[in-house]
Amino acid sequence: MRVALIVNPNATRVSQRLTDRVAKLVAAMHHKVEVQPTTQPRQATALASAAVAGGAELVVTLGGDGTVNEVANGMRGSGVPLGLAGGGKTNVFQRGLGLPSDAVAATSRLLELLADGNGGRRRISLGAANGRAFTFAAGLGLDGAIVREVERRRRAKQLYGDHAYVVAGLKTMLLTYDRDNPHLAIRFPDGRPALSGYFALVTNGDPYTYLRHRPFRPTPEASFEGGLDVLVGQTMSAVRLTRALTGMLSHLPRPAYPGLPVLHDEEAFTLSSDVPLAFQLDGEYLGDFTTVAFERLEGALTVIAPAPAAARRAGR
């Protein structure tokens, strides 16, 4: 099998030694491996597209969720499977699919699933926001502002990891975010009445992210095979948000909380705001937007991963 191994050398846990080890593990199973390192942002999309056009039978990523997002955009709809070898700090998408986050363990599991033939291939949907695909989540408003705050302080993120997000979240929610005016509206193409809110979180699967080993699950009924789930932030009450956040981090999260309704299995909708709001996609801040159009891309990506039931057991 021809395998393109797309590597982000700047990912948190990636090194030349690790890259060589992953490549040797794959090659030892009699696969022909071509290592393709990225040298600049967004290059992974072009590398993945070229690999598919050039006859690669499997594309494997060694990098974080940002690298995975770029590769997924380069190969969506191609039918060529994607393998995930880890390498990032959190690896939300990979862990949500029931795969290990450690790169060597993930590569070994990938090879086991490949040996299982079609049993290891899982066809999932992606979300799309203004045409760009995302694998697990996007958001306009509060979560986008939190990601923006963390990216402004990259050194703190490197030093403190998840704690940097907790601090940024508290600062944004309590000190800088507009808690008085619900600027956001969610509009539907089927004519349903629009919903208003302060922020919206869109998920393509469950969980939304992890705080170290604990999954954060604001939309626990979401699945990679289903439509998009949308948590609508209709309250900025510190008490209600704190209670909801505690529940979302528990072992038995509820499907919704007071002031935070969840829309389940949506196919398409538009988020619009009367002021620019921060927008994040798969954990990357993309700028401030007033309009973002969402749609589900059904069956757009084939991944090498356990079946959904086994993935849920592995991820909990």
Side-chain angles (χ1 to χ4, degrees):
M1 177 180 287
R2 293 181 58 187
V3 180
L5 175 60
I6 298 178
V7 180
N8 178 3
N10 296 315
T12 306
R13 295 189 170 93
V14 173
S15 64
Q16 186 59 53
R17 181 179 179 182
L18 179 62
T19 300
D20 293 342
R21 187 173 183 186
V22 169
K24 287 178 181 178
L25 283 171
V26 177
M29 299 303 292
H30 309 292
H31 300 300
K32 182 180 179 181
V33 184
E34 182 180 354
V35 179
Q36 301 182 20
T38 62
T39 59
Q40 58 189 13
R42 306 293 169 87
Q43 186 182 12
T45 299
L47 290 176
S49 180
V52 169
E57 298 168 272
L58 172 68
V59 177
V60 178
T61 59
L62 183 59
D65 285 305
T67 304
V68 174
N69 175 274
E70 292 183 24
V71 169
N73 273 277
M75 58 188 301
R76 73 191 206 193
S78 68
V80 174
L82 170 66
L84 303 162
K89 186 172 184 61
T90 309
N91 296 312
V92 176
F93 181 56
Q94 181 166 320
R95 293 163 71 184
L97 287 168
L99 297 165
S101 60
D102 175 78
V104 174
T107 304
S108 298
R109 182 65 173 134
L110 167 65
L111 295 172
E112 290 175 1
L113 290 164
L114 280 173
D116 190 33
N118 289 330
R121 286 161 172 77
R122 181 175 167 188
R123 192 173 180 184
I124 66 169
S125 297
L126 296 172
N130 286 351
R132 179 172 172 178
F134 60 94
T135 59
F136 62 92
L140 187 65
L142 183 60
D143 64 315
I146 293 170
V147 172
R148 179 180 61 193
E149 177 70 18
V150 171
E151 291 196 0
R152 285 174 175 171
R153 292 162 175 78
R154 288 186 178 273
R155 181 60 176 167
K157 179 181 178 181
Q158 293 170 350
L159 289 173
Y160 303 113
D162 292 340
H163 294 293
Y165 283 95
V166 174
V167 172
L170 291 172
K171 177 183 176 182
T172 302
M173 185 173 69
L174 299 176
L175 299 178
T176 63
Y177 202 74
D178 186 349
R179 301 170 61 189
D180 298 319
N181 302 291
H183 296 288
L184 193 67
I186 304 176
R187 307 183 190 281
F188 307 94
D190 58 8
R192 277 178 288 167
L195 296 178
S196 63
Y198 296 88
F199 62 91
L201 172 64
V202 183
T203 60
N204 184 51
D206 171 59
Y208 162 70
T209 189
Y210 291 83
L211 293 177
R212 295 194 177 182
H213 300 294
R214 186 180 292 273
F216 177 58
R217 307 180 61 197
T219 57
E221 295 183 335
S223 74
F224 291 111
E225 284 76 16
L228 301 174
D229 280 23
V230 191
L231 182 147
V232 186
Q234 294 186 317
T235 180
M236 287 300 295
S237 162
V239 173
R240 284 191 173 186
L241 289 176
T242 299
R243 288 175 178 170
L245 291 172
T246 301
M248 293 170 188
L249 285 166
S250 72
H251 294 295
L252 293 172
R254 292 158 52 180
Y257 298 86
L260 299 164
V262 173
L263 309 175
H264 183 55
D265 272 352
E266 296 288 339
E267 293 291 328
F269 52 90
T270 298
L271 302 182
S272 59
S273 172
D274 55 9
V275 298
L277 294 176
F279 175 61
Q280 69 85 15
L281 183 145
D282 278 351
E284 179 185 1
Y285 169 65
L286 296 183
D288 290 7
F289 288 74
T290 56
T291 303
V292 183
F294 286 86
E295 63 178 320
R296 174 197 183 200
L297 305 177
E298 184 177 1
L301 189 67
T302 300
V303 291
I304 306 299
R312 284 193 292 272
R313 290 194 296 271
R316 302 293 177 262

